[in-house]
């Protein structure tokens, strides 16, 4: 049974990345892959995520960098109802990412719609991909709890994050927060009593 869907960032989460450890350590986790990690196609990747959610029934999302923006694109889509919660780690800011890696991504504008599922956004004070001010802004826009973990860079292998045990604790906290949560179904007025 798939319980956690892993959404890597640009260039994928290579060997030693905390997401790779999660795939090994967390039974029931699966990576939502794409054809070309160097030049991701948003539409195709979004379709794969929706298919993975349909196959899983319901799942938590654990995203890093560009994967966070993929998760945020679910707002307003029917597949969002299948997301139990999302841990969004070191989201990238598209303008900064395009400056750092010109020509690698074409994701349009930053998603700004509130997420219809419980979410925790985790970032740092010295991430080249998203400033602290932008982290706080998108945390508010996405209606997510925001956690600043200090001087942690992009929360990847280059900034010293291999097996990230505090991340496991954050996911477990999110799972505890969402246990027993029911989706609210609107009843048309004609059927209300």
């Amino acid at each position: 049974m798939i319980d956690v869907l892993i959404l890597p960032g640009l260039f994928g989460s290579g060997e030693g990345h905390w997401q790779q450890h999660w795939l090994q350590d967390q039974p029931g986790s699966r990576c939502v892959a794409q054809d070309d990690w160097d030049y991701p196609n948003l539409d195709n990747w979004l379709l794969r995520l929706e298919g993975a959610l349909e196959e899983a029934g319901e799942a938590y999302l654990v995203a890093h960098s560009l994967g966070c923006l993929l998760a945020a694109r679910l707002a307003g889509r029917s597949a969002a109802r299948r997301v139990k919660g999302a841990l969004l780690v070191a989201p990238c800011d598209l303008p900064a990412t395009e400056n750092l890696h010109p020509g690698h991504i074409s994701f349009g504008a930053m998603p700004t719609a509130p997420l219809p599922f419980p979410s925790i956004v985790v970032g740092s004070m010295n991430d080249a991909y998203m400033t602290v001010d932008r982290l706080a802004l998108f945390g508010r826009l996405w209606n997510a709890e925001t956690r600043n973990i200090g001087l942690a860079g992009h929360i990847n292998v280059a900034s010293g994050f291999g097996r990230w045990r505090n991340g496991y604790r954050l996911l477990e906290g999110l799972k505890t927060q969402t246990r027993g949560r029911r989706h609210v179904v609107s009843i048309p007025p004609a059927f209300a009593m």
Side-chain angles (χ1 to χ4, degrees):
M1 181 175 101
I2 302 298
D3 184 45
V4 174
L5 295 174
I6 303 285
L7 310 177
L10 181 63
F11 308 122
S13 295
E15 188 176 333
H17 192 284
W18 60 267
Q19 285 186 316
Q20 291 300 323
H21 289 288
W22 283 40
L23 286 166
Q24 295 167 9
D25 296 346
Q26 298 282 318
S29 64
R30 174 180 151 208
C31 180
V32 179
Q34 55 175 311
D35 295 327
D36 188 346
W37 289 109
D38 293 348
Y39 299 93
N41 181 298
L42 172 62
D43 294 332
N44 291 344
W45 200 14
L46 189 54
L47 287 174
R48 285 189 183 176
L49 174 55
E50 290 174 327
L53 283 165
E54 186 172 329
E55 184 181 321
E58 284 188 322
Y60 290 93
L61 304 180
V62 175
H64 181 255
S65 195
L66 195 61
C68 298
L69 304 191
L70 176 70
R73 296 281 181 189
L74 285 173
R77 298 178 73 95
S78 63
R81 75 187 193 296
R82 297 183 181 277
V83 178
K84 294 196 269 186
L87 180 61
L88 308 173
V89 180
C92 67
D93 195 0
L94 286 173
T97 306
E98 288 164 355
N99 282 338
L100 291 166
H101 306 288
H104 280 271
I105 55 173
S106 179
F107 266 51
M110 286 291 290
T112 58
L115 300 180
F117 40 80
S119 303
I120 298 173
V121 175
V122 181
S124 82
M125 295 172 63
N126 62 334
D127 188 347
Y129 290 86
M130 182 173 275
T131 66
V132 173
D133 291 344
R134 297 280 283 175
L135 178 73
L137 170 67
F138 285 100
R140 281 192 308 276
L141 291 171
W142 294 340
N143 195 30
E145 177 184 337
T146 303
R147 303 258 182 113
N148 178 337
I149 62 171
L151 299 173
H154 195 48
I155 313 175
N156 58 6
V157 174
S159 48
F161 287 83
R163 184 171 268 112
W164 182 37
R165 299 202 188 282
N166 284 338
Y168 294 134
R169 286 191 272 282
L170 286 169
L171 179 60
E172 286 310 310
L174 182 62
K175 286 181 175 184
T176 299
Q177 173 188 352
T178 61
R179 275 194 191 98
R181 186 190 81 150
R182 288 202 155 104
H183 294 287
V184 178
V185 178
S186 297
I187 299 173
F191 298 102
M193 299 202 182

